[in-house]
Structure formats: structure tokens, C-alpha cells
Amino acid sequence: MAKRIVKQHELNFLKRELKFLEDSEILPAGKANEIDGIYEVQKLSFTKTLLYVGSILIGAGVLSFIASNWDEIGKTVKLLLIIAIFLASNLAGYKMEKNYPKTSRGLYYLGILVFGAGIFLIEQMFHLGTNSQNAFLWWSLGIMPLAWVLRDKWILLASSLFVLKYLLDGQYLQGVNIPYWTLLWIAAIYILNEKIGFSKVTGFVTGLVSLTFIGTIVSFILNRSDYTDFPYVYGLIYLVIGVALVHSKGKVRDIYVVLGYLVHGAAALLLSFEDTWPVDWIYIPFSVLYLLYVLYLIKRGSLISIIILCVMIFRFYLDLSFEFLPKSFVFIIGGFLLLGFGFYFEKQRKKGVSVHE
């Protein structure tokens, strides 16, 4: 029988459960080792590594050659050269797909690199004068169908990262306008991620893209208001979003719950500073209420909330200690605090506390 390939953390979980079942005499003695032998940890493929790194080097070399001789090549030749390399990479990948799947995938990745670089080079060649950030959006759109056809999680991840890069453009973050069309990209990436086999990394990045898009809307609205002192508005909005995601456990995938913890933790950290609020004393009652909320989450068994609590406590410790204590004591006491936090964190993990209960 061919062994089932699993990830290391999945095998570790399986071993713990099998040991528990054997100790509980639900499984007969020796059965755990027999079942364990069916599984094998997924290993990094040396062949894949060589092929993928080789594809990247070829792509970089070809594009470097074109770029270095850019002024000496005619526009028609430039365009045909880019198209030819792109088509040759994908055609060779298609022809080798059946007999040499790993090499085929490497050639597809080469085609993706050429496609993206081609967008930038053509934009430069014809002096289109568009924002270079737009190239990332079209790059994302261009490789999305390939991710679907190949059912490739890495290509879809690249597509989501390109959309995130596009949204981080200054005009959107500063609220000049709202890129409504990116909603189509976000929806497409989300659906594809579900269709081709859910990737937690892609799901996490898609969540970041969605949060960034919400930020562009907030910036747009606040940019048109007369009141400019609004850091707390961002903090409160993302705090609510984070808390909503945390309490959606069971209704959304776990990675979005984890993202919720990170979002409301980061938002609360921002709101815990005096300068964030229009009225300076508000940060005190807010911080007290938030710490009580985090303690409630810890009581429910949330491991991430312990980390958030440690960060908040350490933040206030540094704020107060630098003002009243010598620097040497600040570092010594801070070190003991971190050791204490680490000990408590490890203790809770041994108890089997969930990461995001």
C-alpha cells in the first residue's frame, strides 16, 4: 500500500490521538504503530526546488538581457520578443504536463514571471503613463485563470499578493478614491481558493486584502470631512471587525478567526495610546475594558489572547517604567516579565488550550 503523505503538524496530531486511544485501551496494543506506519511526512522535493529556482533564474536572466538592451531594440521586436517568450514557456509547459509534471510547472512559473515583467516593460515602451501599481492588478488578473486550470495554490497566492500590493498605493490609502473594481478580484480569489483546495496562507492574504479595501473606504470618507484628527476611527472600526471575526468561530474558517484576533489586538494597541484619541484620557478606560475582554477570551481558552494580553501589559510597562525607573531596571524587570509570559504560555499549551477557542 502506498503511504499517505501528510504535513508534519498533521502527523504529530495523529500520533497524539493514537497514543491516547491506545492508552485508553480503545485501540489494541501495537495498533497505533501500525496505523502510524501508513503515513509519511511530506518532504521538500529537491527536483522541484531545482526546477523552480531554475525557472526564476532563466526568467530574471532573459528579462535582464531585454532591459539592458532595451534602447537598442525596436518597439515591434520588443513586443514580439516578450510575447514569444511568454507563449513558448506556456506551450512547453503544456506539452510536458503529462510526462514531466514538475518541469511543466516550472515552465508555467517562468511564463508568469515573463507575463508580469512584460506588463511593466510594455508600459514603459509605449509611455502609457499609468500608475505602476496598476500593473500589479493586471498581473493578478492575468494569472488567475492559470491558477484555476492548474489548481495551483502558489499561483493564486501570488495573485492575491499582487492585489494587496495594488491596494497599498498611496492614492487609495490617503483616500483620494476607492478602487471599487478590486471587489471582483477579492471575490474571485476567495471563490477560487475554495474551489481548488483551501490554502490558509491565501485565505489569510485575502483577508488582509479585504481589510485594506475597507481601509480605503474609511480614508475616502474621512478625507472629505473637515475633522482631521481621526486615528481612533480606524482603531474602532478594525476593533469591531476583529471582534466580529473572533465571535464568528464555527461560521467562518479558522484562519479568519486567527486574523480577527490579530486585527482587534493591533487595533486595541493603537487605541491604548493617549495621542490616538481626540480626548486624551479616553485611552485609560478603553484599555481597562479591553483587558477585561481579553481576560474573558483567555478564560474561554484562547491561546492567542494570552499573547495579546502579554503585549498590552508590556506596552504599559514600558510606557510607565521608562518614565520612573532607571534603564537597567527597565530591561531586567522586562526580561522577567517576558520569561513569566513565556512560562504561562507554555503551561497553557500543555493543558491543551486552543489557539482560538
Side-chain angles (χ1 to χ4, degrees):
M1 180 198 293
K3 291 192 175 184
R4 285 182 57 82
I5 305 300
V6 295
K7 296 178 181 178
Q8 183 64 58
H9 70 89
E10 294 173 335
L11 185 62
N12 291 339
F13 172 78
L14 179 65
K15 285 181 176 181
R16 288 197 302 269
E17 292 301 304
L18 289 173
K19 185 177 184 306
F20 168 76
L21 293 172
E22 199 172 71
D23 291 343
S24 303
E25 298 184 352
I26 297 174
L27 288 177
K31 193 67 176 178
N33 288 332
E34 182 183 338
I35 297 174
D36 182 38
I38 300 174
Y39 297 87
E40 184 177 351
V41 176
Q42 185 180 35
K43 297 178 181 178
L44 181 65
S45 171
F46 181 67
T47 305
K48 280 186 178 180
T49 303
L50 286 178
L51 290 169
Y52 296 166
V53 172
S55 299
I56 293 172
L57 290 175
I58 292 171
V62 170
L63 295 171
S64 175
F65 170 77
I66 294 173
S68 62
N69 297 278
W70 198 242
D71 294 333
E72 301 175 15
I73 305 174
K75 286 186 178 180
T76 304
V77 177
K78 292 175 186 177
L79 183 60
L80 291 175
L81 190 58
I82 292 169
I83 293 173
I85 297 172
F86 172 70
L87 291 177
S89 301
N90 284 282
L91 183 60
Y94 176 73
K95 290 293 185 181
M96 294 185 174
E97 198 167 320
K98 185 176 181 181
N99 296 322
Y100 303 97
K102 295 177 181 178
T103 304
S104 169
R105 196 57 59 101
L107 290 167
Y108 280 129
Y109 291 163
L110 173 60
I112 288 170
L113 290 173
V114 173
F115 175 73
I119 294 174
F120 287 98
L121 293 173
I122 290 171
E123 182 183 73
Q124 178 188 354
M125 179 172 60
F126 292 104
H127 305 290
L128 299 178
T130 58
N131 190 330
S132 61
Q133 293 288 104
N134 293 336
F136 287 101
L137 190 66
W138 297 118
W139 194 356
S140 171
L141 178 64
I143 65 177
M144 214 180 289
L146 189 62
W148 184 14
V149 172
L150 298 178
R151 304 184 71 82
D152 192 297
K153 298 178 181 180
W154 295 108
I155 298 177
L156 189 61
L157 173 60
S159 180
S160 61
L161 286 170
F162 294 153
V163 179
L164 180 61
K165 177 68 173 70
Y166 170 76
L167 283 175
L168 292 175
D169 188 11
Q171 63 171 324
Y172 302 130
L173 294 179
Q174 294 168 14
V176 177
N177 51 46
I178 303 173
Y180 293 108
W181 50 89
T182 54
L183 281 174
L184 297 174
W185 272 257
I186 295 171
I189 293 171
Y190 179 84
I191 293 169
L192 279 178
N193 196 29
E194 295 286 343
K195 291 286 186 183
I196 68 176
F198 186 81
S199 164
K200 290 183 178 180
V201 179
T202 304
F204 186 83
V205 175
T206 306
L208 289 178
V209 173
S210 302
L211 292 170
T212 307
F213 178 77
I214 293 171
T216 65
I217 297 175
V218 177
S219 296
F220 181 82
I221 295 171
L222 294 178
N223 192 41
R224 277 147 185 77
S225 65
D226 296 330
Y227 185 60
T228 57
D229 189 15
F230 48 71
Y232 72 98
V233 176
Y234 289 98
L236 290 173
I237 289 173
Y238 282 108
L239 180 74
V240 171
I241 293 172
V243 170
L245 286 172
V246 167
H247 291 282
S248 296
K249 180 175 170 59
K251 299 177 182 178
V252 298
R253 289 187 178 272
D254 288 346
I255 191 62
Y256 300 124
V257 178
V258 173
L259 182 61
Y261 277 103
L262 297 177
V263 169
H264 80 63
L269 187 63
L270 172 67
L271 294 168
S272 69
F273 288 94
E274 181 180 356
D275 296 337
T276 303
W277 297 89
V279 181
D280 54 14
W281 57 266
I282 295 181
Y283 83 100
I284 297 175
F286 166 80
S287 300
V288 171
L289 290 173
Y290 180 74
L291 288 173
L292 290 174
Y293 171 69
V294 172
L295 289 172
Y296 160 73
L297 293 176
I298 292 173
K299 187 177 180 181
R300 287 180 55 188
S302 168
L303 200 58
I304 294 181
S305 295
I306 299 174
I307 300 175
I308 295 173
L309 178 65
C310 295
V311 170
M312 291 294 290
I313 292 174
F314 201 66
R315 168 258 177 280
F316 280 105
Y317 163 74
L318 290 177
D319 197 22
L320 295 172
S321 59
F322 268 114
E323 187 173 351
F324 298 108
L325 292 174
K327 287 185 179 179
S328 56
F329 282 104
V330 171
F331 291 121
I332 292 170
I333 298 172
F336 277 112
L337 276 174
L338 289 177
L339 286 173
F341 291 152
F343 170 74
Y344 183 69
F345 187 81
E346 184 179 12
K347 183 180 178 183
Q348 292 300 107
R349 288 200 67 177
K350 285 190 173 182
K351 287 182 180 179
V353 174
S354 172
V355 172
H356 46 78
E357 194 61 45

